[in-house]
Amino acid sequence: MNTSVADLFGRVRKKQPLVHQITNFVTANDCANATLAIGGSPVMTSNPKEVADMVKLAQALVINLGTLDDVSLEAMAIAGKTANDCHIPVILDPVGVGSTTYRTEKAMELLDSMTVQIIRGNVSEVHRLMGGDIVTRGVDSGPLSMSNAELSLRAARKLKSVVVVSGAKDAVSDSSRTSIIDNGSPLLTKVTGTGCMSTALIGVFCGITEDYYSAAIAGISTMSISGELAARTLEKNDGTGTYRTRIIDAISGMNDSIWKYEVKMHEESAI
């Protein structure tokens, strides 16, 4: 597993995949910069009149529900169908699902209307997509008794996608394999957009491989490791603004050697 994931970093830098992202206005700049930092190329078109043409040029599509409205929903539906027709992978970030009825219903409609290769969310978002009743607090996760590993596995089986559950320990499952990544820093929760950037990074890796399980691991672990590395560089008077910049610096320096040295990952036995 480690070797196949590590190999993806050089391939991304070489191929520079174009990742079309329909994302939220709060974190669009961060997602674009994270995409560039790891070696991809971002495009952030969300106009329904041109989104299909743009998707056809891309190697991956990221759909982020952060700042949802009827226009962006129309664009998402068109983009998802186009990506499916063109065999372009779709990565869904169900931001805030479970917080409002509208958001939850529209997320379910999107899932019904397209095939999604990877879903990345926090505990409550993923659990709600499965039909659970945890209430999402804005974009923050509510409590759940099962582990992230068990949730990701159950969700992968139910939703027929690779599922990434973000948290203190990130979990990735493709319904037959489940991996835990134990990197990160508590400071990641103090900076807006780290979850969205994680999804953007996953999208970049999906743009150069059809092994979506490995792509998901590469993307989420890159963010967790980068958060950890960035925290190590902070001095006494450095705050979250500096930390945010250092995360991008760490992503831009990520390669196979650093990843293999820093990653704390294990595969769970069958649950």
Side-chain angles (χ1 to χ4, degrees):
M1 173 57 64
N2 285 14
T3 301
S4 63
V5 174
D7 289 345
L8 298 179
F9 291 91
R11 291 170 61 185
V12 161
R13 303 283 183 187
K14 181 177 180 180
K15 296 188 176 182
Q16 300 178 334
L18 180 66
V19 183
H20 184 180
Q21 302 175 51
I22 305 177
T23 190
N24 73 80
F25 58 73
V26 177
T27 65
N29 186 62
D30 293 317
C31 292
N33 280 325
T35 300
L36 288 165
I38 198 63
S41 180
V43 60
M44 321 300 276
T45 300
S46 58
N47 188 324
K49 294 181 180 180
E50 66 172 349
V51 71
D53 290 337
M54 194 63 75
V55 169
K56 292 175 184 177
L57 300 175
Q59 282 72 60
L61 169 67
V62 171
I63 294 176
N64 179 305
L65 306 187
T67 48
L68 205 56
D69 57 44
D70 291 344
V71 174
S72 64
L73 276 168
E74 181 184 358
M76 290 172 185
I78 294 169
K81 182 181 185 304
T82 304
N84 287 171
D85 291 344
C86 297
H87 306 290
I88 294 165
V90 179
I91 302 91
L92 175 66
D93 192 331
V95 178
V97 165
S99 60
T100 68
T101 300
Y102 172 81
R103 182 173 294 270
T104 303
E105 288 178 349
K106 294 306 178 183
M108 299 301 188
E109 289 175 11
L110 285 173
L111 277 177
D112 288 341
S113 70
M114 67 184 74
T115 299
V116 174
Q117 279 66 42
I118 299 179
I119 298 169
R120 189 220 63 85
N122 64 32
V123 167
S124 55
E125 291 161 352
V126 172
H127 191 255
R128 191 65 187 87
L129 286 181
M130 294 172 61
D133 58 2
I134 292 180
V135 175
T136 304
R137 300 170 297 176
V139 297
D140 295 324
S141 179
L144 184 67
S145 58
M146 75 177 80
S147 69
N148 287 2
E150 184 177 358
L151 176 60
S152 65
L153 175 61
R154 290 187 181 186
R157 288 173 175 169
K158 184 176 180 64
L159 300 172
K160 311 299 183 187
S161 300
V162 173
V163 174
V164 182
V165 178
S166 297
K169 293 185 179 182
D170 303 315
V172 181
S173 183
D174 66 355
S175 79
S176 61
R177 299 168 293 174
T178 303
S179 288
I180 296 295
I181 298 101
D182 193 15
N183 293 95
S185 165
L187 285 173
L188 284 168
T189 65
K190 305 300 182 182
V191 178
T192 299
T194 55
C196 298
M197 285 189 278
S198 298
T199 308
L201 292 169
I202 290 169
V204 175
F205 288 103
C206 283
I208 53 93
T209 181
E210 293 183 0
D211 181 355
Y212 301 127
Y213 180 66
S214 293
I217 290 172
I220 192 65
S221 63
T222 292
M223 175 53 69
S224 296
I225 293 169
S226 296
E228 195 173 304
L229 294 175
R232 291 179 198 166
T233 70
L234 296 179
E235 298 181 1
K236 182 179 179 180
N237 294 322
D238 290 336
T240 53
T242 300
Y243 181 61
R244 178 173 171 269
T245 300
R246 299 281 174 83
I247 291 172
I248 297 295
D249 288 344
I251 294 171
S252 68
M254 189 63 61
N255 57 37
D256 58 340
S257 298
I258 293 173
W259 185 86
K260 285 188 287 188
Y261 182 79
E262 295 289 347
V263 72
K264 303 171 187 138
M265 183 177 71
H266 68 272
E267 193 165 295
E268 290 279 283
S269 56
I271 300 173

